[in-house]
Amino acid sequence: MEILDGSDLNWLSLVEKMIQLSTIEVDAGYLTSKIHPNSQLTYAALATIHQYGSEKHNIPERPFISDGAVLSQQGIVQALPASYLNFLKSGNKESFKPIAKISGESIARAIAEQKFTKLSDVTLRDRKSRNNPSSLILIDEGYLINNIETDITQK
């Protein structure tokens, strides 16, 4: 066992910080009420429609949020020991920034990997009529992929 120098690592302080670990929450996704400029929906509402699909709008399920969570697992497992140790030394929730970064980037990666039901011919024709020949899914204009947010809270 390695013994670390520092008056902040006495047993009482260490136990208090270990208890505080249960109050840390790292979130990634669409966390605020920011509005998508073309749909007038919040990014969270738009993401939900694509995550679960919408029969009403003929949109198939495109689970990029849950796919992002799966993609983040290995990176989070690798980053956790350093984040925990940094938190136990400092008591600062910012010790979990690497976890937040991995989480947000994994959602973007899930969008970029394009492992979804292809766009319909109707959608492709609509895009072409707007001078957008792209067949990329969830990346019509880049708003979803560029508005992923992360947050670290301590309750």
Side-chain angles (χ1 to χ4, degrees):
M1 173 188 252
E2 179 184 359
I3 298 177
L4 303 171
D5 292 331
S7 60
D8 62 331
L9 289 178
N10 65 52
W11 278 110
L12 182 57
S13 175
L14 190 59
V15 169
E16 287 172 357
K17 288 176 184 170
M18 290 175 78
I19 291 169
Q20 289 175 6
L21 279 170
S22 67
T23 69
I24 301 291
E25 185 175 300
V26 178
D27 295 306
Y30 304 95
L31 309 176
T32 61
S33 56
K34 287 172 42 177
I35 302 292
H36 182 277
N38 297 334
S39 71
Q40 301 309 308
L41 296 171
T42 64
Y43 284 101
L46 192 59
T48 301
I49 290 168
H50 284 287
Q51 173 74 18
Y52 299 105
S54 169
E55 283 186 39
K56 178 181 176 182
H57 297 101
N58 199 27
I59 297 173
E61 181 179 290
R62 295 185 174 117
F64 69 103
I65 299 287
S66 52
D67 288 357
V70 170
L71 290 170
S72 71
Q73 289 175 347
Q74 184 177 0
I76 288 173
V77 167
Q78 290 173 349
L80 269 178
S83 292
Y84 281 151
L85 184 58
N86 288 338
F87 182 79
L88 292 175
K89 286 180 181 179
S90 69
N92 187 339
K93 70 180 184 177
E94 298 303 308
S95 301
F96 292 92
K97 271 188 171 181
I99 305 298
K101 183 176 188 287
I102 290 165
S103 300
E105 288 174 351
S106 295
I107 294 170
R109 193 169 120 210
I111 292 172
E113 286 183 356
Q114 296 286 297
K115 295 181 179 178
F116 311 113
T117 303
K118 299 296 179 203
L119 296 174
S120 72
D121 290 338
V122 171
T123 299
L124 292 171
R125 279 194 302 273
D126 177 59
R127 282 188 177 184
K128 284 181 184 174
S129 74
R130 294 183 285 126
N131 294 319
N132 180 356
S134 173
S135 62
L136 294 176
I137 303 160
L138 300 175
I139 311 180
D140 187 5
E141 296 167 302
Y143 290 114
L144 271 180
I145 201 166
N146 290 317
N147 280 280
I148 297 166
E149 303 164 294
T150 61
D151 190 32
I152 305 165
T153 54
Q154 187 169 7
K155 303 194 184 224

